[in-house]
Amino acid sequence: MPQLHGLILTGGRSRRMGQDKALMRLASKTLLESTHELLQECLKSIYVSIKEDQIGDPIRSKFKQIIDEYSQSGPIAGILSAHKTHPHSAWLVVACDMPNLDKQTLAQLIKERDSTFDATAFNNPKDSLPEPLCAIYEPHLLSEVLDNSKLLPSNSPRDLLLQSRVKFIKTKNPSALENTNYPADYLSEIES
């Protein structure tokens, strides 16, 4: 079974939120710091996906970084750049904006991983579609995408999962997969 690395996606522009989500605070830590700490409980090797103009950011620079190298926009650029860095490894990919993500959810994903599939992903509790931003992508899938761009008709990792062989699992904690895209989402998270 290929080695598993963690990848925290932080290269987004946070347009809907209006501020950098990775640097927003929950209690005494940023969302990025909290997510990294959580992944450290489950994995030995964790990277932070960034855009080139984020290299000097003082929070992101605390961690091992992978700079997005591909022209695709959105999370897929980070995922493919991570694969290029370690082409024989699988990637447990998480978004930096999942404030309710917990160790049990990550442990469930890792335990139920099946590397004979292209990916292992939760069914999103809201729409039953694959949750691409808390999923494990196997190296053979990512190699195929880099070899044949037609396998990626859009820049959406969800679309990639929808056309791939995915082992779907049901989360034991649906709120763990909720993300923070708008200011109201974030305020409700820090108030609860």
Side-chain angles (χ1 to χ4, degrees):
M1 183 177 298
Q3 181 180 6
L4 184 62
H5 294 294
L7 181 68
I8 305 169
L9 299 169
T10 73
R13 296 295 176 213
S14 303
R15 287 184 189 98
R16 290 175 287 188
M17 179 60 76
Q19 61 181 306
D20 190 336
K21 292 187 281 187
L23 304 182
M24 294 171 59
R25 292 198 171 271
L26 271 179
S28 64
K29 297 177 185 153
T30 65
L31 288 175
L32 171 55
E33 291 167 323
S34 296
T35 304
H36 192 277
E37 190 174 284
L38 184 62
L39 279 173
Q40 275 187 309
E41 295 182 39
C42 302
L43 297 170
K44 293 179 183 173
S45 180
I46 303 145
Y47 295 85
V48 175
S49 169
I50 65 169
K51 296 271 189 237
E52 191 166 354
D53 63 357
Q54 297 170 323
I55 290 173
D57 175 78
I59 300 295
R60 287 175 174 88
S61 63
K62 293 180 186 179
F63 309 110
K64 293 188 288 186
Q65 300 175 350
I66 295 176
I67 301 166
D68 292 356
E69 293 185 33
Y70 292 93
S71 60
Q72 288 90 349
S73 61
I76 201 69
I79 296 168
L80 293 176
S81 297
H83 176 70
K84 183 177 178 186
T85 303
H86 293 285
H88 303 292
S89 297
W91 290 93
L92 192 164
V93 173
V94 295
C96 67
D97 65 346
M98 294 180 149
N100 298 323
L101 189 62
D102 57 23
K103 181 180 177 181
Q104 293 75 24
T105 300
L106 292 173
Q108 179 187 5
L109 181 61
I110 292 167
K111 181 180 178 192
E112 297 193 38
R113 172 189 178 198
D114 185 340
S115 63
T116 64
F117 284 82
D118 295 332
T120 303
F122 291 108
N123 280 319
N124 187 296
K126 291 183 180 177
D127 56 19
S128 295
L129 294 172
E131 176 48 64
L133 302 183
C134 184
I136 296 173
Y137 294 79
E138 298 297 337
H140 60 267
L141 171 64
L142 300 176
S143 290
E144 287 174 15
V145 169
L146 287 178
D147 290 343
N148 182 357
S149 62
K150 291 180 182 178
L151 295 175
L152 191 64
S154 73
N155 288 332
S156 166
R158 176 171 277 164
D159 288 348
L160 176 62
L161 293 179
L162 285 169
Q163 65 185 24
S164 301
R165 289 183 52 251
V166 177
K167 178 181 179 186
F168 289 105
I169 55 178
K170 184 177 179 179
T171 181
K172 295 176 183 173
N173 179 10
S175 71
L177 300 178
E178 294 173 0
N179 65 7
T180 304
N181 279 320
Y182 299 95
D185 297 337
Y186 175 68
L187 291 174
S188 68
E189 291 300 331
I190 60 173
E191 290 168 358
S192 58

